[in-house]
Amino acid sequence: MNIPEKAIISGMEYKIRLSDDILFFDNIRAYGHIDFEKKEIAIDKALRDSQGHKQTLLHEIIHGIVYDREINFKNDDEEIIV
């Protein structure tokens, strides 16, 4: 299975791209990132296998669902839960 060009999260279309750039979120190295304003999911191309790409894509889609549904984990860390 190849990584799709787009994903639909709650009716919103997100472009999916493999990034040559090193990704960071809150100054921490990341394998993927979802940009809610640009409607884009970036996956680090440095992940050499398709399994890593798929796991990262699913992880970012779950962040998109959490964001769309305005799920508040209160004091828990969203990144750990996702």
Side-chain angles (χ1 to χ4, degrees):
M1 176 183 148
N2 294 327
I3 296 297
E5 294 179 9
K6 63 183 177 179
I8 308 295
I9 302 172
S10 298
M12 301 299 295
E13 185 175 302
Y14 285 78
K15 178 183 173 190
I16 300 169
R17 68 177 177 86
L18 293 177
S19 176
D20 290 319
D21 300 327
I22 296 174
L23 303 173
F24 288 92
F25 184 72
D26 288 342
N27 293 323
I28 298 172
R29 175 80 164 84
Y31 294 119
H33 177 71
I34 185 166
D35 187 320
F36 301 111
E37 291 181 20
K38 293 181 182 178
K39 302 290 185 259
E40 181 177 90
I41 297 172
I43 299 172
D44 190 341
K45 202 177 204 176
L47 290 167
R48 298 277 178 209
D49 65 345
S50 65
Q51 180 73 26
H53 291 153
K54 293 172 199 171
Q55 288 175 329
T56 302
L57 176 58
L58 179 58
H59 178 91
E60 297 307 324
I61 288 172
I62 293 169
H63 276 300
I65 294 167
V66 168
Y67 176 81
D68 178 71
R69 299 297 177 197
E70 299 178 350
I71 299 171
N72 182 348
F73 295 111
K74 300 188 183 194
N75 295 329
D76 293 326
D77 184 3
E78 177 181 331
E79 192 62 32
I80 292 172
I81 294 170
V82 169

